[in-house]
Amino acid sequence: MQYFHKSVLLEEAVNGLDVKEDGIYVDATGGAGGHAREIQRRLGDRGKLVIIDRDPDAVEVLTDGFKEFERVSVVRANFCDIREVLDSLGIEKIDGVLMDLGVSSFQLDNAGRGFCYNADAALDMRMEKDGVSAKDVVNGYPLPVLVKIFRDYGEERFAFRIAENIGRRRRKSPIETTQELVRIIEDSIPAAARKRGGNPSKRVFQAIRIEVNNELDSLKLGLDAGFERLDSGGRLCVIAFHSLEDSLVKESFRRFVGGCICPADFPVCSCGKKIAAEIITKGAVTPCEEEIRDNKRSRSAMLRVIKKI
C-alpha cells in the first residue's frame, strides 16, 4: 500500500514537544508517520513512543513502518481514548502529545474513501471505515439538521439552499457519489459567489466529514485527556487546519492555564486556584512560504503549544 504524505510543520511541531531522549511521547494522529519518525529519531534507547490512529489503513502502514523499533507501540484508536490506550500499555504519565488534526493526504488522495470533491467515488468519509457514512448523512438527516451542519461546521452562507436542493434530489433517488453531491452544491451557489468564495464543495465536504467522524467532540475530549496525562513540564502540540478546530484548541488552552478566578476587585485571592500551564506559542505558528509552495495543503495549518507546570 502506497502511503505518501507530507507532514505539515514537521520541525516546528516536533521542536514544540522539546523531545527528551528518555521521554515518553504520544503521536495521537499517526497518519503516515512523518511526525512520529522525527520524534522517534530524537529518542534514546530508553525513550518510548506511542502512535495512535483511528484509520485501519494508517495503522497497517504504521505497524509495518515501525516494526523494527521495540519501544514504539502502534494502536488503533480514536485519540479521545488516549487514557484507555495509555492504561492498556501501563503508562501513567507522558512527556508530550502531538495532534495533527483533520484528514491526511492519503485519505484525500485515495478517491475510494470519498473525502475528495475532485474525484468521483461513493460518499463515505469514514475515518474508521464503520458507522454512519456521508451517504447516510446526506440522504437520511432531516433538512434543518443539514442546514445546521453546513452552517456550523462549514461556515457555508448558502446552507439552506444547498440542503433544499439535496432534499429535492433525494426524494427522486438517493445521492450515491461525491460528484452527484458536488453538482448539487454548485447548482445551489450563485455564479458570482462561486467566483469569490472559493470552491463551495470544500466547505460542505468539510462539514459532512466533521459530522461523520464526530471530530469536534473527539477533539475536546482528546485535548482534555492528553493534557491530563502530561507529566510536569510535558507539552501538548496541536496542528489545526480550520477556524473551528483552532478556536476549540485556544479555548481549551486558556482553560488549562487556569489561575485565579476571583473578581478583579478582590484585594486578596480567596479561590486558591494556581496557574497550571504556560502557553508556549504566542499566537499560532504557521507554515513558511517555502512549505506552502511545496505543499499547498499546509496553507491553513496553525500550530499551538502548551506546557504543563
Side-chain angles (χ1 to χ4, degrees):
M1 184 186 301
Q2 294 299 311
Y3 200 151
F4 177 74
H5 175 70
K6 288 187 175 181
S7 296
V8 174
L9 293 168
L10 176 62
E11 291 293 325
E12 295 88 342
V14 179
N15 287 343
L17 285 175
D18 190 26
V19 176
K20 300 175 179 62
E21 287 192 351
D22 59 349
I24 302 175
Y25 295 88
V26 176
D27 183 343
T29 48
H35 290 111
R37 285 189 196 92
E38 182 60 23
I39 296 169
Q40 191 279 327
R41 189 184 68 80
R42 301 186 188 193
L43 290 173
D45 293 339
R46 294 168 55 196
K48 185 171 181 59
L49 173 61
V50 179
I51 309 173
I52 299 172
D53 204 285
R54 63 194 296 190
D55 187 327
D57 289 348
V59 170
E60 180 181 342
V61 172
L62 290 163
T63 300
D64 183 64
F66 287 88
K67 61 186 177 184
E68 63 184 285
F69 302 106
E70 293 183 3
R71 299 184 66 80
V72 175
S73 301
V74 179
V75 182
R76 182 185 171 188
N78 189 320
F79 61 66
C80 67
D81 297 321
I82 190 172
R83 292 187 187 92
E84 291 77 6
V85 170
L86 293 176
D87 287 346
S88 72
L89 296 171
I91 298 171
E92 177 60 31
K93 290 294 183 180
I94 54 180
D95 297 291
V97 184
L98 173 63
M99 297 180 179
D100 180 5
L101 307 177
V103 62
S104 73
S105 292
F106 175 74
Q107 291 164 330
L108 286 171
D109 294 338
N110 185 340
R113 301 294 296 273
F115 287 101
C116 183
Y117 51 83
N118 291 323
D120 199 16
L123 276 172
D124 194 329
M125 303 192 200
R126 295 173 297 179
M127 291 183 180
E128 293 169 318
K129 290 192 169 184
D130 56 23
V132 174
S133 70
K135 179 181 174 181
D136 298 325
V137 171
V138 170
N139 291 287
Y141 277 28
L143 297 187
V145 177
L146 287 181
V147 172
K148 180 173 174 57
I149 289 170
F150 298 159
R151 283 179 177 164
D152 290 355
Y153 297 162
E155 301 176 294
E156 175 53 62
R157 286 195 299 142
F158 297 97
F160 180 82
R161 189 180 298 187
I162 295 169
E164 195 174 48
N165 286 336
I166 286 173
R168 288 196 186 99
R169 167 58 195 279
R170 74 188 192 185
R171 282 193 291 272
K172 298 177 183 177
S173 62
I175 301 163
E176 303 275 357
T177 70
T178 55
Q179 289 306 294
E180 288 177 67
L181 179 58
V182 165
R183 286 192 289 273
I184 294 169
I185 296 167
E186 290 177 345
D187 291 344
S188 304
I189 309 293
R194 286 204 302 271
K195 291 178 181 178
R196 290 195 308 267
N199 193 324
S201 295
K202 179 178 180 179
R203 299 188 292 273
V204 174
F205 272 57
Q206 171 185 291
I208 295 170
R209 191 200 78 219
I210 289 172
E211 172 64 21
V212 166
N213 297 289
N214 196 27
E215 291 179 28
L216 296 182
D217 286 344
S218 293
L219 175 56
K220 184 177 184 305
L221 292 170
L223 290 169
D224 286 351
F227 183 79
E228 175 192 302
R229 298 303 284 262
L230 286 178
D231 207 344
S232 178
R235 295 189 176 199
L236 171 59
C237 302
V238 187
I239 304 172
F241 287 87
H242 56 76
S243 59
L244 298 174
E245 291 174 340
D246 190 51
S247 294
L248 206 159
V249 173
K250 286 191 292 185
E251 176 189 324
S252 296
F253 278 18
R254 285 194 294 267
R255 180 162 45 83
F256 295 156
V257 169
C260 177
I261 59 172
C262 295
D265 59 353
F266 271 34
V268 179
C269 173
S270 62
C271 72
K273 293 185 178 295
K274 304 296 183 183
I275 291 176
E278 173 191 359
I279 295 177
I280 301 299
T281 48
K282 308 306 178 185
V285 176
T286 56
C288 65
E289 291 183 8
E290 182 180 356
E291 179 169 3
I292 293 172
R293 188 167 57 249
D294 291 342
N295 180 13
K296 292 181 180 179
R297 289 172 180 166
S298 71
R299 181 179 288 110
S300 59
M302 297 165 282
L303 167 68
R304 298 184 186 274
V305 182
I306 192 168
K307 176 182 176 181
K308 194 170 191 178
I309 294 176

